[in-house]
Amino acid sequence: MLPVEHNDPINAKILAISEDKIEGFVREPFQEIARRSGVDVDVVMARIAAMLRAGTIRRVRQTLLATNLADGALVAWKVSEDKIESSFDWMFQRDPFSGHVVVRSTETASAGSEYKLWTTLKVPHGFSLEKHCQLLAKKVGAEKFRIMPAKGIFTLGVGHVRRKTIAPGEKSDTPAKIIRVEAVDLNEHEWNILLALKREFAPEEIRLNPWASRAKEAGVGLEEFYGVAEDLSARKIIGRFSTFLEHVKPSQTGVRVTRFNALFHWAVPAGREIETGGEVGRHHILTHCYWREAGPEFNNVNIMAVAHGTDKQRLLDHKSAIDRHLESCGIPVSYTNVFWGGRSEIKPSEISPKIYREWLEQAA
């Protein structure tokens, strides 16, 4: 039986590449993982398939920069204590447009601490985030919600295996560059190929020439499939080819990839969001860093970042290092906080307009 834990030496070499290093669309993703990890391609495919079957890897898929294909936001929900679990279940199980669903808390009562349920949400262009949230609030009995669209992205990745050995303060030589959120429209032919492209891989699909069956599924020749996929990649619609670890729950043998999930908040002066996001986002520990306007409920926080780890104090040390760096850059922070993740479920947010219309007919 093949080893399936993330910390097996060979698996760790594979995952250090496969989690978030295969950018854009690649015709032979498993060969590219093999080349960059130094592990034979047959071993790469066998190990990834085994980890996927065991649940160590949660999913294998081509990711999208879906912020350009759908209107997205982080949403904080105020839900009474007796409804948090049922609200969590409804959004995770019955709303395909809610991705991350997380219960969060703060160490002490502070700005926004009454918002304990947090979700990421995407609705296709032409539909309303506000109306979607109103529908969800009615379904789950939420008292109120705060919608926080991303105005800019500085860091977006995973790489949990790679980040285990990062020391507080480790950062890139240059600030992170902002990725602007810009709407992109696709025609029906492109949507057809994109939907086949982004579907999760089953273990038996992890093989050489993995896109041949997806081209057949889309009803096009392989070269046509490649051409559209590469065009979508050039247009910054394609994210990366990625193996997503199950980093919230323990494995079958009780091994955890991470234990703590921290959402860091900073409030900085208006006009300095891009500068601050670049300085925060250059820190290697972070999996996400965004410019979001949280409003007065959260003391006007406008920079948010996420970090994961197995030691809570270590994560606080990372945040302290970022705080010191901002101070050294002369960036004033009027308010900062940490929201800790508890119960959490993650799934890709659906972005198809066709699927949204069908869901809306059933849910409304």
Side-chain angles (χ1 to χ4, degrees), residues 5-240:
E5 296 296 356
H6 76 278
N7 53 7
D8 170 83
I10 293 175
N11 290 346
K13 287 180 69 175
I14 294 168
L15 291 166
I17 300 301
S18 68
E19 277 197 273
D20 66 347
K21 289 296 187 180
I22 308 301
E23 297 283 351
F25 174 79
V26 177
R27 295 190 178 197
E28 288 287 354
F30 302 112
Q31 284 189 346
E32 183 63 13
I33 293 167
R35 185 186 70 80
R36 297 183 62 177
S37 66
V39 179
D40 181 79
V41 68
D42 289 334
V43 175
V44 165
M45 293 187 294
R47 292 296 186 99
I48 290 176
M51 285 188 280
L52 183 58
R53 289 190 177 97
T56 304
I57 290 175
R58 188 172 65 249
R59 59 179 58 92
V60 179
R61 64 186 290 261
Q62 181 73 58
T63 70
L64 311 177
L65 292 177
T67 47
N68 291 343
L69 290 171
D71 295 324
L74 179 66
V75 186
W77 303 86
K78 184 179 180 182
V79 182
S80 61
E81 288 288 343
D82 63 320
K83 292 180 178 177
I84 287 179
E85 293 300 316
S86 61
S87 299
F88 184 107
D89 291 339
W90 202 98
M91 292 187 186
F92 175 64
Q93 296 169 6
R94 301 181 63 182
D95 180 18
F97 308 95
S98 292
H100 292 53
V101 184
V102 186
V103 176
R104 292 193 179 277
S105 60
T106 54
E107 298 285 6
T108 60
S110 54
S113 59
E114 71 270 25
Y115 290 84
K116 297 188 182 301
L117 184 62
W118 294 67
T119 64
T120 56
L121 174 65
K122 292 185 178 71
V123 300
H125 295 318
F127 298 94
S128 168
L129 280 168
E130 179 73 27
K131 289 182 178 178
H132 191 96
C133 287
Q134 288 172 356
L135 189 155
L136 293 185
K138 184 178 179 180
K139 293 288 186 182
V140 305
E143 298 174 30
K144 57 181 178 177
F145 54 85
R146 173 69 185 180
I147 301 174
M148 297 168 275
K151 302 186 75 170
I153 305 167
F154 302 93
T155 300
L156 185 60
V158 278
H160 297 298
V161 168
R162 205 165 30 80
R163 286 178 168 87
K164 282 179 174 288
T165 58
I166 290 172
E170 282 191 32
K171 58 187 182 295
S172 301
D173 293 336
T174 56
K177 294 186 181 301
I178 187 171
I179 301 172
R180 298 284 186 179
V181 178
E182 300 174 344
V184 176
D185 292 321
L186 303 184
N187 60 41
E188 186 176 348
H189 180 59
E190 291 168 330
W191 269 114
N192 185 44
I193 289 174
L194 188 69
L195 291 177
L197 179 75
K198 76 181 186 69
R199 185 171 58 76
E200 294 178 21
F201 280 76
E204 57 273 14
E205 292 182 293
I206 297 172
R207 56 178 181 258
L208 296 177
N209 196 18
W211 302 117
S213 61
R214 299 300 175 90
K216 186 176 180 180
E217 179 182 318
V220 300
L222 186 56
E223 286 303 317
E224 170 69 8
F225 186 92
Y226 285 156
V228 171
E230 286 164 354
D231 178 64
L232 294 175
S233 188
R235 291 160 63 188
K236 306 300 182 185
I237 294 169
I238 300 295
R240 59 176 61 87

Side-chain angles (χ1 to χ4, degrees), residues 265-296:
H265 282 185
W266 292 274
V268 301
R272 302 193 72 174
E273 297 92 348
I274 295 176
E275 176 191 4
T276 306
E279 295 300 338
V280 172
R282 71 196 291 182
H283 287 78
H284 295 319
I285 191 60
L286 301 176
T287 57
H288 301 74
C289 180
Y290 294 92
W291 170 10
R292 299 185 188 274
E293 297 290 343

Side-chain angles (χ1 to χ4, degrees), residues 305-324:
V306 177
H308 300 262
T310 54
D311 183 272
K312 190 173 187 178
Q313 185 56 52
R314 180 83 164 178
L315 285 176
L316 290 173
D317 292 343
H318 279 288
K319 183 179 180 298
S320 295
I322 298 172
D323 292 340
R324 290 193 298 271

